[in-house]
Amino acid sequence: MNISTRFGAKLPLLSNLVPIREVPKLGFLPFSHRKRGFRTGFSKKMALNVEKYDVGVENKLELIRSATESNADEAIEALKAGKVIAVPTDTLYGFACDACSSEAVNRIYDIKGRKHTSPLAICVGDVSDIEHFAVTDHLPHGLLDSLLPGPVTIVLGRGESSILEKSLNPGLDSIGVRVPDSDFIRIIARGSGSALALTSANLSGQPSSVSIKDFENLWEHCAYVYEGGVLPAGRAGSTVVDLTKPGKYRILRPGSAKEETVAILENYSLLEEVLSG
């Protein structure tokens, strides 16, 4: 996705920025693709722990649907039934499920072979929904609307008023929130009546997916795979920024929109948090 036009309309100076280069990921990782060793025996563990749909080689393609509004109701019903689906976003393909279903969330961890200590981000349909799941009253008015929808994950405090289930990322008092600039996932997020848990559609530690072919070996663990073509944003994923502290920001992962994001944050007079030591 080419984000410079949308960001530039909100902040004219962005047109002079240096083009973004793909960078390694670090910190909070809702879209992890760091290179690391992959343990043996995972396939056996997955076969035991992850729900597989009865899909033979000859009818495997029947799982695929186009990521269009006409297929949204089917996706919403699958989410409400506690299933995992694969969807395109404005950065990468992701696995999505009902964030308030502990069974569905556990299924995503099993599919990816991911440790439960690695937090998942959530996706909502509209910027106005964020306040139901995270603390936003310390942020400058208009900031979230300037950043989102877009390829940015905002890390905020959950607070006591959050309607998120405690079983999602237990022990953490913050949550990463996305509003992708992608119509299909926003439509199903609205229709689900909940937030969606969202993470990259790949095995943990492997490259992220920009096409459904990239994770073909995992299709059988999804109720449906929604085809949105080859995504143009590259494999850097979203930019992750911590906004939990009033007046401060901290980039946790540069991602695909660091320069644009920093320019907007500083336009709203936020200062970069410098960690001591």
Side-chain angles (χ1 to χ4, degrees), residues 244-257:
T244 56
K245 295 184 179 180
K248 303 284 187 181
Y249 75 88
R250 182 158 59 98
I251 300 296
L252 301 182
R253 183 179 71 192
S256 59

Side-chain angles (χ1 to χ4, degrees), residues 134-180:
V135 178
T136 62
D137 53 11
H138 64 293
L139 299 175
H141 179 71
L143 174 61
L144 291 180
D145 288 304
S146 295
L147 291 169
L148 302 168
V152 184
T153 299
I154 308 297
V155 179
L156 296 165
R158 290 168 72 141
E160 294 300 321
S161 61
S162 174
I163 63 175
L164 277 178
E165 293 287 334
K166 300 295 185 183
S167 59
L168 181 69
N169 304 338
L172 294 181
D173 58 5
S174 62
I175 185 71
V177 186
R178 287 220 64 201
V179 184

Side-chain angles (χ1 to χ4, degrees), residues 39 41-52 106-107 110-111 220-221:
R39 66 182 182 275
F42 173 76
S43 297
K44 181 178 180 181
K45 177 178 184 292
M46 181 182 288
L48 293 173
N49 294 334
V50 182
E51 178 176 350
K52 288 187 178 182
N106 286 336
R107 185 172 293 125
D110 286 339
I111 293 172
E220 63 185 325
H221 303 293

Side-chain angles (χ1 to χ4, degrees), residues 102-120:
S102 58
E103 180 180 353
V105 169
N106 286 336
R107 185 172 293 125
I108 279 186
Y109 277 106
D110 286 339
I111 293 172
K112 288 178 63 71
R114 184 174 182 173
K115 294 180 179 179
H116 283 65
T117 52
S118 298
L120 296 178

Side-chain angles (χ1 to χ4, degrees), residues 11 13-14 17 258-268:
L11 190 64
L13 292 179
L14 294 180
L17 292 173
K258 178 185 175 182
E259 284 83 0
E260 292 92 335
T261 299
V262 169
I264 290 175
L265 294 169
E266 294 183 350
N267 189 54
Y268 279 85

Side-chain angles (χ1 to χ4, degrees), residues 24-150:
K25 299 181 176 184
L26 49 93
F28 180 88
L29 293 180
F31 288 94
S32 173
H33 70 283
R34 290 175 292 179
K35 304 287 187 180
R36 58 178 180 268
F38 188 63
R39 66 182 182 275
T40 59
F42 173 76
S43 297
K44 181 178 180 181
K45 177 178 184 292
M46 181 182 288
L48 293 173
N49 294 334
V50 182
E51 178 176 350
K52 288 187 178 182
Y53 298 90
D54 189 13
V55 180
V57 174
E58 68 283 355
N59 61 355
K60 190 175 181 180
L61 294 179
E62 292 183 6
L63 288 176
I64 300 174
R65 306 284 192 274
S66 60
T68 57
E69 188 172 357
S70 61
N71 288 322
D73 287 344
E74 178 185 64
I76 291 167
E77 289 305 310
L79 292 168
K80 289 182 176 180
K83 308 299 183 183
V84 173
I85 62 175
V87 293
T89 73
D90 53 356
T91 53
L92 306 169
Y93 276 85
F95 292 131
C97 72
D98 181 353
C100 293
S101 168
S102 58
E103 180 180 353
V105 169
N106 286 336
R107 185 172 293 125
I108 279 186
Y109 277 106
D110 286 339
I111 293 172
K112 288 178 63 71
R114 184 174 182 173
K115 294 180 179 179
H116 283 65
T117 52
S118 298
L120 296 178
I122 63 169
C123 167
V124 295
D126 296 285
V127 175
S128 59
D129 296 330
I130 296 175
E131 64 183 22
H132 302 302
F133 302 95
V135 178
T136 62
D137 53 11
H138 64 293
L139 299 175
H141 179 71
L143 174 61
L144 291 180
D145 288 304
S146 295
L147 291 169
L148 302 168

